[in-house]
Amino acid sequence: MTTRLGIRPAFAAKGPRLLTPPGVYAPQFDTDLLTGALRSEPIGGQTDVLDLGTGSGALAVIAAQMGARVTAVDISWRAVWTARLNALLNRASITVRRVDLSAACKANTFDLVVSNPPYVPAPAGKLSAHGVARAWDGGIDGRSLVNRVCDTAHQALRSGGRLLMVHSELCDSAESIDRLTGLGMTAAVTDKVQVPFGPVLQECRAWLCAQGLLDEGTATEGLVVIRAEQP
């Protein structure tokens, strides 16, 4: 897969029709980047896909439109109902369940796992349990949910199955590669893009600079897609 670099338009311009009420993550640049990776995967009627932390259901809808059998999970009831509504709006057949990551793969295994987890480093030191911050708050180093996605995908994937995950370079793509490799998977960054800061990073900018995660003059954020394959 060719690595790309540049600034791209927001997801809404070319994605499915989606409703995103307050408290549910609205698709943005990271969703667009992961969508491109998803569309590059061989997906058909016999492909079982798991969307971890589905939010609005954007990725689940696209996978279903590509012909996959899709299960989408989220811990937020609001996200679950939103994903179900968006599946109906787009006539996409999706099973949407409210479960924690640790319970996402207890009943089945999958050919493909996709995830856009919360990944923004946050100063609170404790993950947000409620509200819209739960969609982006990745803990003090941004990796609290990213690490869990890596571990869950390893457990959920069949032999030869693949993980596609997007996150910021602020939470260290090399660490994600090392973690997945340590689990026995083959992993690499397959796509990359620089995007303007959104409201969340603008709000956290001073703290991120104080932590040495950002330079004062930085105005864009690096996003990466990590692709890992189960042996």
Side-chain angles (χ1 to χ4, degrees), residues 41-56:
E41 292 292 320
I43 292 176
Q46 301 302 309
T47 306
D48 291 311
V49 174
L50 174 63
D51 181 7
L52 288 175
T54 192
S56 68

Side-chain angles (χ1 to χ4, degrees), residues 133-180:
R134 187 161 59 175
W136 59 261
D137 183 350
I140 195 72
D141 59 358
R143 296 200 56 85
S144 293
L145 277 299
V146 169
N147 287 340
R148 291 185 64 197
V149 167
C150 293
D151 297 345
T152 299
H154 172 62
Q155 297 169 16
L157 287 169
R158 299 166 183 159
S159 179
R162 298 92 66 202
L163 164 69
L164 295 174
M165 175 174 62
V166 64
H167 68 62
S168 173
E169 290 188 313
L170 292 174
C171 61
D172 195 349
S173 54
E175 187 168 343
S176 295
I177 299 298
D178 288 345
R179 189 177 190 91
L180 291 163

Side-chain angles (χ1 to χ4, degrees), residues 95-223:
T95 299
V96 187
R97 299 163 48 212
R98 182 188 179 271
V99 296
D100 184 70
L101 285 179
S102 58
C105 59
K106 284 189 175 180
N108 297 295
T109 56
F110 299 86
D111 302 298
L112 179 65
V113 172
V114 295
S115 187
N116 182 359
Y119 53 69
V120 177
K126 181 180 179 181
L127 291 178
S128 301
H130 304 284
V132 70
R134 187 161 59 175
W136 59 261
D137 183 350
I140 195 72
D141 59 358
R143 296 200 56 85
S144 293
L145 277 299
V146 169
N147 287 340
R148 291 185 64 197
V149 167
C150 293
D151 297 345
T152 299
H154 172 62
Q155 297 169 16
L157 287 169
R158 299 166 183 159
S159 179
R162 298 92 66 202
L163 164 69
L164 295 174
M165 175 174 62
V166 64
H167 68 62
S168 173
E169 290 188 313
L170 292 174
C171 61
D172 195 349
S173 54
E175 187 168 343
S176 295
I177 299 298
D178 288 345
R179 189 177 190 91
L180 291 163
T181 301
L183 291 168
M185 304 176 75
T186 302
V189 171
T190 55
D191 206 352
K192 181 177 178 180
V193 67
Q194 292 291 130
V195 301
F197 282 169
V200 171
L201 280 189
Q202 291 287 10
E203 185 176 338
C204 298
R205 175 193 283 272
W207 180 81
L208 290 167
C209 290
Q211 299 301 304
L213 296 172
L214 277 182
D215 295 328
E216 290 287 348
T218 302
T220 61
E221 174 190 14
L223 299 176

Side-chain angles (χ1 to χ4, degrees), residues 15-33:
R17 180 188 176 196
L18 297 171
L19 298 178
T20 51
V24 176
Y25 184 74
Q28 298 179 40
F29 289 103
D30 48 5
T31 316
D32 177 53
L33 188 66

Side-chain angles (χ1 to χ4, degrees), residues 65 86-93:
Q65 290 175 336
N86 285 326
L88 288 172
L89 287 174
N90 291 277
R91 299 182 180 179
S93 178

